Amino acid sequence: MTGPSRVLKPEVFPAVAWRNGAGLTRELVDDPSGWRLSVAELESDAVFSAFPGLDRIFLPLVDVVLEIDTVRRPVARGTAVAFPGEAKVAVELVAGPGRAVNLMMARGRCSGRLVARSPGEWEQCGPDRPGWVVDLGEVLVEVQVGSDEWR
């Protein structure tokens, strides 16, 4: 993607149930080139839906513990974690309810990254950079997605 950042505000998108019914999400982008961006409402501990063939990046806005294929891992707020969509994943909300940004990409077709920034950091970095930005108020999440050759 080229050109200035596109700013997305999750509150203007409808909330829909997760595929497994364990939570709610707001789908911000479903791009035909093979990637999807959403913001999940994390209300309680939950098991993630499986998405075989996709690579996932999960960026929580609260401290959590992720269990990925039986390995428990503390994840600090604003830290992105990547894992395959077919992994067995559960989230434990150690700091209470919150939100998380999810980026899902078709394996072999595209890759991406998520970076959490304060509004001040975002302004210093240059808001005219290409990509997407999820505006969550106190945190902006920079989203970069491209073909696998992009890496």
Side-chain angles (χ1 to χ4, degrees):
M1 178 181 162
T2 60
S5 300
R6 297 181 192 174
V7 178
L8 302 167
K9 295 184 177 277
E11 62 274 9
V12 303
F13 295 85
V16 297
W18 290 356
R19 186 186 332 183
N20 67 8
L24 295 174
T25 192
R26 295 174 188 275
E27 186 175 293
L28 309 181
V29 178
D30 188 0
D31 193 275
S33 66
W35 62 278
R36 176 178 175 242
L37 179 67
S38 63
V39 174
E41 305 291 333
L42 304 174
E43 299 294 330
S44 62
D45 298 351
V47 174
F48 288 15
S49 300
F51 286 91
L54 299 180
D55 288 324
R56 298 180 69 166
I57 301 175
F58 175 83
L59 189 148
L61 300 178
V62 293
D63 293 342
V64 301
V65 172
L66 280 184
E67 183 173 313
I68 303 172
D69 289 333
T70 72
V71 177
R72 290 176 54 82
R73 173 183 177 181
V75 179
R77 77 176 283 209
T79 303
V81 177
F83 53 89
E86 45 279 301
K88 292 182 180 178
V89 180
V91 63
E92 179 184 342
L93 304 179
V94 296
R99 295 187 285 181
V101 178
N102 291 289
L103 178 60
M104 294 188 234
M105 301 150 294
R107 189 170 301 125
R109 288 179 48 199
C110 40
S111 57
R113 70 181 186 132
L114 299 175
V115 179
R117 300 187 189 281
S118 70
E121 286 176 309
W122 178 249
E123 288 299 321
Q124 288 178 347
C125 290
D128 292 332
R129 292 184 315 208
W132 300 81
V133 177
V134 181
D135 184 348
L136 297 157
E138 74 285 354
V139 175
L140 299 171
V141 177
E142 178 183 353
V143 181
Q144 293 288 328
V145 180
S147 67
D148 268 353
E149 298 84 44
W150 170 74
R151 285 187 196 207

